[in-house]
Amino acid sequence: AQKITQTQPGMFVQEKEAVTLDCTYDTSDQSYGLFWYKQPSSGEMIFLIYQGSYDEQNATEGRYSLNFQKARKSANLVISASQLGDSAMYFCAMRAQEIQGAQKLVFGQGTRLTINP
Amino acid sequence: EPEVTQTPSHQVTQMGQEVILRCVPISNHLYFYWYRQILGQKVEFLVSFYNNEISEKSEIFDDQFSVERPDGSNFTLKIRSTKLEDSAMYFCASSPWETQYFGPGTRLLVL
């Protein structure tokens, strides 16, 4: 069974600082995908970034990067130059890729990030 | 940019009533999902759907739940007889393969 652990229930960061949100995972699958989603107070789930388990390079999307350390089973999200609009709940999720077809996402508990002006 | 849409955005119902939550996935996506999020908790998988049939369902997805893709665009979740504990945000998602894109959710309140 897959498991995602996010150990930081809340984080407070000054605007323009970089922030790292932690995510560790547990799986016996050889091939898998890791995702980060942002959930603002309005409630929607916004896809941020994806990392495949066989990807050699860390994924980057604008100000978001994923610090993927396979041996440690960690997939931390790094947000550079944080903005007030980054204040939200952030979820790490994992998807098995061993089998073709619709594969569920398993989510962590989330980290509530607050950016202070 | 194409989006997943969901209706209604909010629904209030009495315990024991049937509700149907509707979703329009992104048009060229092949895989469809329902998730729920009880207030303040993590997002939980309910069911996945591919090629007009259920691929996987969780233990939450009991006989009270059903999904349908009645036409080429809509994807519905029906709860036959709602319980208080069904109060949650329900998310529909669709994917071409890897990344799942979520709709804005339907907030269901069962009284």
Side-chain angles (χ1 to χ4, degrees), chain A residues 7-35:
Chain A
T7 56
Q8 306 153 311
M11 285 195 71
F12 294 84
V13 171
Q14 285 299 118
E15 192 180 6
K16 298 180 186 171
E17 287 183 355
V19 56
T20 298
L21 305 182
D22 295 340
C23 172
T24 57
Y25 61 91
D26 191 19
T27 182
S28 56
D29 296 321
Q30 294 300 310
S31 177
Y32 49 88
L34 295 154
F35 301 81

Side-chain angles (χ1 to χ4, degrees), chain A residues 38-46, chain B residues 89 91 102-105:
Chain A
K38 173 183 179 181
Q39 187 177 40
S41 56
S42 49
E44 71 267 35
M45 294 284 286
I46 302 167
Chain B
M89 179 78 106
F91 290 104
F102 283 69

Side-chain angles (χ1 to χ4, degrees), chain B residues 65-91:
Chain B
F65 291 87
S66 62
V67 288
E68 262 193 338
R69 191 158 158 81
D71 54 43
S73 57
N74 290 287
F75 180 50
T76 62
L77 175 69
K78 182 192 290 186
I79 310 174
R80 286 190 186 81
S81 178
T82 49
K83 304 188 277 281
L84 295 176
E85 55 265 37
D86 293 329
S87 294
M89 179 78 106
Y90 288 79
F91 290 104

Side-chain angles (χ1 to χ4, degrees), chain B:
Chain B
E1 191 170 319
E3 295 179 332
V4 178
T5 60
Q6 290 185 244
T7 54
S9 58
H10 294 78
Q11 178 141 9
V12 181
T13 190
Q14 295 289 325
M15 191 170 60
Q17 294 295 304
E18 175 184 284
V19 295
I20 297 176
L21 310 183
R22 291 183 167 80
C23 169
V24 179
I26 295 173
S27 62
N28 60 346
H29 287 185
L30 301 176
Y31 306 99
F32 314 112
Y33 312 81
W34 284 100
Y35 293 84
R36 79 172 187 190
Q37 184 183 30
I38 294 171
L39 188 64
Q41 297 187 22
K42 67 179 178 181
V43 178
E44 301 174 290
F45 168 75
L46 291 177
V47 65
S48 58
F49 194 86
Y50 170 68
N51 205 23
N52 287 318
E53 59 183 28
I54 290 174
S55 297
E56 185 180 358
K57 55 185 180 180
S58 71
E59 61 274 11
I60 303 168
F61 194 89
D62 61 22
D63 292 343
Q64 295 299 314
F65 291 87
S66 62
V67 288
E68 262 193 338
R69 191 158 158 81
D71 54 43
S73 57
N74 290 287
F75 180 50
T76 62
L77 175 69
K78 182 192 290 186
I79 310 174
R80 286 190 186 81
S81 178
T82 49
K83 304 188 277 281
L84 295 176
E85 55 265 37
D86 293 329
S87 294
M89 179 78 106
Y90 288 79
F91 290 104
C92 172
S94 70
S95 69
W97 168 227
E98 293 289 356
T99 300
Q100 295 180 26
Y101 296 91
F102 283 69
T106 293
R107 191 172 294 282
L108 177 66
L109 178 61
V110 182
L111 303 176

Side-chain angles (χ1 to χ4, degrees), chain A residues 53-100:
Chain A
S53 58
Y54 287 113
D55 292 342
E56 302 263 326
Q57 304 241 348
N58 286 342
T60 60
E61 288 284 350
R63 293 187 299 113
Y64 305 108
S65 60
L66 200 152
N67 184 1
F68 180 48
Q69 298 189 42
K70 195 170 181 177
R72 291 187 174 186
K73 293 190 173 180
S74 76
N76 298 339
L77 177 70
V78 180
I79 306 174
S80 63
S82 57
Q83 302 170 356
L84 296 178
D86 295 332
S87 293
M89 196 76 165
Y90 288 81
F91 289 98
C92 180
M94 161 181 275
R95 177 187 186 276
Q97 290 173 213
E98 294 276 298
I99 304 167
Q100 289 277 342

